[in-house]
Amino acid sequence: QAEVEETLKRIQTHKGVIGTIVVNAEGIPIRTTLDNSTTVQYAGLLHQLTMKARSTVRDIDPQNDLTFLRIRSKKHEIMVAPDKEYMLIVIQNPSE
Amino acid sequence: HVYLLLSKCVGLLYSSASSLPSRCFRCKDIDVLPTLKLSCFPTALTMEIVYVYTKKRNEFGRQCNFSDRSAELHVDILPDPSLAVNFIERDPCDVPIQCTQEMSEHEVNTERFESDTRGINHVEGGWPKDVNPHEMEQTIRFRKKVEKDENYISTVMQLGNNMEHCIKQNNAIDIYREYFEEEEVVEESEVQPSAKTINVFRDPNEVKRTASSLSWHPDGSRKLAVAYSSLEFQKVSKDMSLNSYIWDIENPNKPEMTLKPVSPLVCLEYNPKDCHILVGGSYNGQIAYWDTRKGSQPVEMSTIEHSHRDPVYRVIWLQSKTGTDTFSASTDGQVLWWDIRKMSEPTERLILDPNKKGNLDNALGAISLEFETTMPTKFMVGTEQGLVVSCNRKAKTPAEKIVCMYSGHHGPIYALQRNPFFPKNFLTVADWTARIWSEDIKESSIMWTKYHTAYLSDGSWSPVRPSVFFTIKMDGTLDVWDFLFKQNDPTLSVKVCDEALNSLRVQDNGHFLACGSQLGTVTLLEISSGLCTLQKNEKALATAMFERETKREKILEARHREMRLKERSRSEQSKEEDTKEGDGEESPEELITRIEKDFYEIVEAELKKRDKGEEKKVADAIKSD
């Protein structure tokens, strides 16, 4: 469990990272470095998007699966690493 | 008294006799006894008398006797003021009356709809039933429980690794930044330079002659004038036709027009100002001019006494107000100026005597002429001896006419042309090389091609690209050189035909060119667009290239001059030195001069050795031909 802490801490201290969220399959944020309302917003919205993305990938090729989702926007990049039970969301600002 | 006749026609209605009045209305005393035949049933339209009222005749006729009576007052009701007590007088009031539809006004108010502004809060869902999302304690406890889960730990570790990789990726390259902003996209012309034969025009005569000169129609280049002659010495046969033709480039089967000179034409030029006029120089030295509107015969020819003594190799139109001036050059050593309106005598004459004495015996034979309309006072002549003579037209004395001479070629200069973009540089084509010269450097050319295996017979700059020029060789190949791209070899080499090529002319747009061969076949070629579109920066690069080469030659020239001077002074000094033996100690200056002298001697010796080596190379090249 200490490793988890360490990993998350390390991710957070990378250059440009704004926030980190760990969400479970029900959309409950387990671990977050952002404030509650933002976290909840991200968790809810990204969860749905990830589901949609995964279903798209699987529709195209049933044996394929979604491993990573990156959304690049003008302001920053949202990276989602989905899993069966949990989801790791990181928001990074790459161009500093 | 009234008879009431009720006709049956009226109908059913009258059924009962008892309802009939038994009295007359007016005089009540008469009984009208209804004697009627009642019939209830309507019969067809017969006027049957239904009721008959009878009255005795004697009861009739009592006249109405009207009599006057006095007015009788029957009723008189007088106003009773006492009755007024029961009433109250009212103020006069205005009562409007109008005759319209009666309407009424009514107000209605609907029930108020209550609206409210609200925000929706995304409430985190999914909390299990036993956890109250609002209770901090419970949520924290739940979270802690999850964090202890094995699955959670392993998942987060794995995801974390992935994520880290991507984060690092992002940090490594800033994807939002504009790299390579300043660099312009380099347009790579991937098209290989190529030339395509469009049309071939063959000499329609049996005995084939050389196509010795070509000239494009000045307006749109739809026609090509070709001069045919046989340049080989004394090979003219009786059957050989004297004609030259004007071809329409679309129709290679038959020439559009024939020009019939007295002697075969060696050169032919369209007048750039008037597209119907052509001037031609013939084998016997005469100049003639044609007007295409007037037919195949020349309009006028120059007199034999005043013409050239040798074939006229080149004739060029001059820039003048009247547009009728030309000048011609021939191997007899003369350059003659003509006004085509008066062909009996040349307007001016120049003898190419290098000693500037006007001696015809010494004169150099002229093979090519150069005239650029932007520089109307200067012109250049290329000679059989390999010298280019630069002349000034406006000079007062014939001696001053010849300004300078450029040497460097080993054979007759077949082509001489200034670069249309850089008039200070001109191209000469002679012997086995093509050379580019700068006007300022008289000792040698600034750039040259390698020595080829075949003799070069004609050349020309491209009118659209400053660094491209064309040359043709006696083995039938056409070379396209792009000096900015490659200087050692032609950029494009095309074998046009098996026999030797003699003449070349590029169209004004630089896209098409025509070359004439020894057997009179004129081939029309189209060059790929890469070679005839001006590249970016080309002018600047070409300028830089020419300047650089000119500078190099200048430096070399200066060095040569210096060395010659040294050589001369050394030969003088050596005579003095013989007397000055046993000098004693040399002062520092003398030491320096002595060291300098030694140095120069060594350099000179080296140069001489190198020159000898080059000469040998040239000799070898000549021998191999």
Side-chain angles (χ1 to χ4, degrees), chain B residues 431-433 449-456 472-477 479 481 493 620-625:
Chain B
D431 56 58
W432 302 272
T433 60
T449 65
K450 62 171 188 214
Y451 280 93
H452 295 95
T453 48
Y455 221 71
L456 265 70
I472 47 172
K473 302 216 280 283
M474 296 296 257
D475 62 358
T477 46
D479 290 326
W481 299 79
S493 192
D620 285 338
I622 297 175
K623 263 192 236 154
S624 66
D625 269 327

Side-chain angles (χ1 to χ4, degrees), chain A residues 11 15-21 34 42 46 49 68-81 88-96, chain B residues 162-176:
Chain A
I11 290 179
K15 181 176 145 202
V17 173
I18 301 173
T20 316
I21 307 170
L34 303 167
Y42 268 106
L46 286 170
L49 185 63
F68 203 84
L69 182 64
R70 273 200 207 197
I71 303 161
R72 234 177 226 147
S73 74
K74 271 204 284 202
K75 296 196 183 163
H76 39 243
E77 180 167 354
I78 304 167
M79 294 176 275
V80 180
L88 175 62
I89 302 168
V90 171
I91 302 133
Q92 188 191 17
N93 190 355
S95 58
E96 248 180 51
Chain B
N162 255 353
M163 186 62 78
E164 257 201 279
H165 171 74
C166 290
I167 292 175
K168 284 186 194 153
Q169 224 178 37
N170 273 345
N171 281 333
I173 297 179
D174 178 5
I175 53 145
Y176 291 111

Side-chain angles (χ1 to χ4, degrees), chain B residues 329-340:
Chain B
S330 159
T331 38
D332 65 356
Q334 293 179 82
V335 177
L336 300 173
W337 276 262
W338 306 86
D339 182 340
I340 57 170

Side-chain angles (χ1 to χ4, degrees), chain B residues 288-323:
Chain B
Y289 90 94
W290 278 264
D291 187 334
T292 50
R293 295 166 291 200
K294 292 200 185 133
S296 310
Q297 296 293 335
V299 177
E300 208 183 324
M301 293 196 69
S302 61
T303 47
I304 296 202
E305 310 89 63
H306 293 115
S307 309
H308 290 282
R309 304 268 181 272
D310 264 353
V312 181
Y313 278 95
R314 194 87 161 92
V315 66
I316 299 189
W317 288 94
L318 287 169
Q319 182 89 299
S320 72
K321 281 188 283 253
T322 55

